[in-house]
Amino acid sequence: MSPGSRQSIGRLARNGVAAGVIKLASAGLTFLLFVAAAMVTDERQFGLFSTAYASASLVSFFSLIGQHAAVMRFWPQYAGGGDLPSANGLMARAILVAAAGLVAASLLMLATAFLPLATVPEWFELCLATTALAFALGWSEFTSCAFRAKNALFSGLLPRDIFWRVATIAGFAAAGFLSPGISAVAATSLAAGLLLACVLPQTVVLLRDTFHAPRGALNDAQKMEFKAVTLGLWGVTALPPALGQASTLLVAAILGPEAAGAIFVADRVMRLAVLALNGINQALAPQISSAFHSHDRPHVQRIAGLAAIGGFGIALIMLVVFVLFGKVILAVFDPAYASDTMHAALIILGLGALVGTACGPTELIMQLTGLQRELFRTLVVVNTVGLGVTAGLTVVLGPMGAALGIAGTMMVWCITGATITRRRIGIDPSILGFLAGQDANALRILLRGRP
């Protein structure tokens, strides 16, 4: 089967379940990773580590210049049409552009290390460690997407989602065993170094397969499409996750590192609710691109609806878990986080995630079907207003206000995006699209036929 060929619903379901299991394991390991970090650092150092991690993540999203999304968009299209030389040429171009973006971003971050900041004595060393982590996160995201674009799901996901997290947890545990505590600089540096080591084999294989394979130069039309789409994808792939990290940094600026650490933890716990949809998206992305650009919109509608109903179901279960056991979960990181305020903040974030998953893989579909400009404009408007509202609510209500702003922004964006997708290309990625589709009709017939 060629890398971009259409897969059956059964095969997609199996891949989606496999990706979901990997993402579930990844989420559990991420939970343990931050628990381990909290256990080997004091409250201030964990707040600094959380801020450094959020900063590195934010920079990594922009530094790739949208190339991780470009390979997801174009490789299935070219390879699915049997044009492997163009697909390899596209991959080589994307690797070079991504590498240039990562180097440029790293140099800019290094420049910030020389800014005088008396309130953070370890500023210089923390900037260096954050730069290394940003580079590692960015490159690992690109290599993961490159393998997933070729339908190499496990090769794409395992190094970063599983191996790195296991290694980092073990590293923190060893550091805690050897000393009573470590600094945020040491924790960030350790995470960066281990991530680079874990994706090294992946990097070698990607470079070998790309630069040793027959490559064809992109024609003028392909180059124009690549440039036009890349600019749009750069914005739409960087803004959502970056603005999510910006919320943590905003809380840190307004309320201090301790409050930022609490919101950071609540936000990471909330992401368990979107885990199923994110896992399914790992398998769907190349199929959406290939099917849409071969004019098979019914297939795109069907798999989007199934993804929405699966993601919504898991998010609903997780919201119940947050209501019943939220304080217990938060207390694992630090007993101070198990307050009524932070529990309420977690539930509010869970409600935002529930609405977001009900809208299905909206962002992914807009990225891969030519709606990147509409997606970018929507993200800029909604999130700019959302950050302003979040800042105001944080000043007035503290962590509770931050949660209200973050969750509200998520809801408005997802509903708006799903509406645009339905109107522009006739595909409804939400659970409403599933309820109107053939799978829901078959389910209704089955249920009516039961005694």
Side-chain angles (χ1 to χ4, degrees):
M1 182 177 63
S2 65
S5 61
R6 169 172 170 169
Q7 296 180 4
S8 67
I9 294 296
R11 183 179 178 86
L12 272 176
R14 290 191 295 272
N15 285 344
V17 169
V21 169
I22 292 174
K23 285 297 180 181
L24 177 61
S26 174
L29 290 170
T30 300
F31 181 88
L32 293 176
L33 187 154
F34 288 113
V35 169
M39 292 178 67
V40 298
T41 57
D42 59 28
E43 191 173 359
R44 178 179 179 274
Q45 291 299 321
F46 182 71
L48 289 174
F49 172 73
S50 301
T51 304
Y53 190 95
S55 300
S57 299
L58 188 153
V59 172
S60 73
F61 302 136
F62 286 99
S63 63
L64 289 176
I65 318 180
Q67 296 310 294
H68 58 309
V71 297
M72 294 293 295
R73 162 69 170 78
F74 289 111
W75 174 277
Q77 180 181 343
Y78 295 159
D83 189 2
L84 284 175
S86 291
N88 288 323
L90 174 280
M91 185 66 76
R93 176 183 286 254
I95 288 172
L96 295 176
V97 174
L102 286 166
V103 170
S106 297
L107 292 175
L108 288 174
M109 288 192 72
L110 288 174
T112 65
F114 294 94
L115 296 176
L117 203 64
T119 56
V120 183
E122 58 271 79
W123 174 255
F124 183 80
E125 294 81 4
L126 193 60
C127 283
L128 295 183
T130 304
T131 299
L133 183 58
F135 184 94
L137 288 170
W139 180 249
S140 65
E141 178 65 18
F142 177 81
T143 56
S144 175
C145 288
F147 277 85
R148 285 168 45 215
K150 301 180 180 184
N151 283 322
L153 192 64
F154 296 103
S155 299
L157 294 178
L158 289 177
R160 171 168 159 159
D161 284 85
I162 304 298
F163 302 155
W164 170 55
R165 285 165 170 79
V166 171
T168 305
I169 291 168
F172 286 158
F177 178 77
L178 295 174
S179 63
I182 64 173
S183 67
V185 173
T188 306
S189 301
L190 180 61
L194 290 173
L195 179 54
L196 289 172
C198 287
V199 300
L200 180 59
Q202 197 180 45
T203 300
V204 172
V205 172
L206 176 63
L207 297 179
R208 181 201 65 194
D209 290 350
T210 299
F211 291 100
H212 288 178
R215 300 193 310 276
L218 301 182
N219 59 43
D220 291 338
Q222 289 172 326
K223 290 179 181 178
M224 290 181 61
E225 186 181 22
F226 176 83
K227 292 178 181 178
V229 172
T230 288
L231 290 175
L233 290 177
W234 187 8
V236 301
T237 56
L239 276 178
L243 288 168
Q245 303 298 336
S247 299
T248 300
L249 299 177
L250 185 67
V251 175
I254 296 173
L255 301 178
E258 289 80 6
I263 286 294
F264 182 85
V265 165
D267 180 70
R268 289 309 183 275
V269 173
M270 176 272 290
R271 296 187 187 194
L272 294 172
V274 299
L275 182 64
L277 183 60
N278 287 340
I280 294 168
N281 284 348
Q282 311 303 308
L284 288 190
Q287 289 297 298
I288 289 173
S289 178
S290 179
F292 183 84
H293 293 286
S294 62
H295 310 291
D296 191 359
R297 296 194 182 193
H299 185 59
V300 178
Q301 176 63 75
R302 189 180 186 196
I303 61 179
L306 290 170
I309 199 68
F312 177 79
I314 297 299
L316 183 59
I317 293 172
M318 291 308 304
L319 179 60
V320 174
V321 172
F322 295 161
V323 172
L324 297 178
F325 306 108
K327 284 189 177 181
V328 176
I329 296 172
L330 293 171
V332 172
F333 292 88
D334 193 310
Y337 298 160
S339 64
D340 291 339
T341 297
M342 288 312 304
H343 186 206
L346 176 59
I347 293 172
I348 291 169
L349 291 172
L351 287 169
L354 184 67
V355 174
T357 54
C359 293
T362 299
E363 182 184 338
L364 184 66
I365 288 180
M366 294 183 78
Q367 287 178 20
L368 301 177
T369 60
L371 294 179
Q372 63 272 359
R373 293 182 183 275
E374 289 82 353
L375 176 58
F376 181 76
R377 286 195 293 267
T378 304
L379 287 171
V380 169
V381 172
V382 173
N383 285 283
T384 299
V385 174
L387 275 177
V389 172
T390 300
L393 290 173
T394 302
V395 171
V396 175
L397 300 175
M400 183 80 76
L404 286 169
I406 295 169
T409 302
M410 186 189 313
M411 293 178 187
V412 172
W413 139 240
C414 290
I415 293 172
T416 304
T419 302
I420 292 173
T421 303
R422 183 174 63 251
R423 290 178 177 174
R424 291 298 305 274
I425 61 176
I427 295 173
D428 187 346
S430 71
I431 58 174
L432 297 178
F434 171 83
L435 295 174
Q438 58 181 328
D439 295 287
N441 290 332
L443 180 60
R444 293 188 191 99
I445 293 172
L446 178 63
L447 292 175
R448 282 197 298 267
R450 287 181 177 177

